[in-house]
Amino acid sequence: MDDAVRRAVEITPAASTRQRIIDITTTGRRTGLPRRIEIFFYHVAGRTYLCSGTVDRPSWYVNLVAEPALTFHLKHGVRADLRATARPVTEEPERRAVLSEIVADLNQPANPGHLPQPVDLEDWVRRTRLVEVTFLG
């Protein structure tokens, strides 16, 4: 991964809302067709994550559980299509650790996710679908 792409992926809480928005392409679990959506991503403890907020069964998550390969499309500033895999984060201690950082990021005064504040950690630990993204190659 070149330096510009690495910097774009390794965002900090100071990142703008625009810098956090990417597209992902997953494979439809029923159709087998590519599905591209816009989503926020987060960088916590040197790792990259996608999460659903409090949407109960987002299609992107269900697709990634069925087929973990995805394309991570950077589109603001740096443009790149990165091959990756997703790993659902289901164990409560890991979920809590990651989501604590994400919720703290969302609850900062700049509110990069434009969500009603404060974002409730316990609600997110209970309801959010969370995946870790690992970049390939």
Side-chain angles (χ1 to χ4, degrees):
M1 188 180 299
D2 77 22
D3 286 341
V5 170
R6 185 176 317 284
R7 283 191 305 276
V9 170
E10 294 176 352
I11 61 171
T12 69
S16 70
T17 299
R18 186 175 170 97
Q19 291 170 305
R20 299 161 185 270
I21 298 172
I22 60 162
D23 287 350
I24 60 170
T25 299
T26 62
T27 301
R29 73 188 180 288
R30 284 187 249 152
T31 66
L33 297 173
R35 299 289 184 219
R36 186 168 175 151
I37 63 147
E38 186 173 80
I39 191 169
F40 279 76
F41 77 99
Y42 304 90
H43 193 73
V44 175
R47 297 176 185 203
T48 302
Y49 294 91
L50 306 172
C51 70
S52 67
T54 56
V55 175
D56 287 328
R57 285 188 47 88
S59 58
W60 64 265
Y61 178 83
V62 183
N63 289 346
L64 288 173
V65 169
E67 171 51 60
L70 73 138
T71 304
F72 188 99
H73 306 280
L74 292 171
K75 61 183 189 175
H76 297 294
V78 174
R79 293 192 177 271
D81 298 322
L82 307 172
R83 291 182 332 113
T85 60
R87 176 185 67 85
V89 179
T90 58
E91 296 299 320
E92 197 274 340
E94 182 182 11
R95 290 175 56 72
R96 181 171 297 282
V98 172
L99 290 169
S100 292
E101 295 295 321
I102 291 172
V103 166
D105 189 10
L106 292 170
N107 282 335
Q108 67 175 307
N111 191 6
H114 300 289
L115 297 171
Q117 287 190 313
V119 174
D120 180 59
L121 175 62
E122 295 309 316
D123 190 32
W124 277 50
V125 168
R126 198 172 45 257
R127 296 178 56 199
T128 292
R129 303 302 188 251
L130 179 67
V131 299
E132 179 185 356
V133 175
T134 301
F135 297 102
L136 305 174

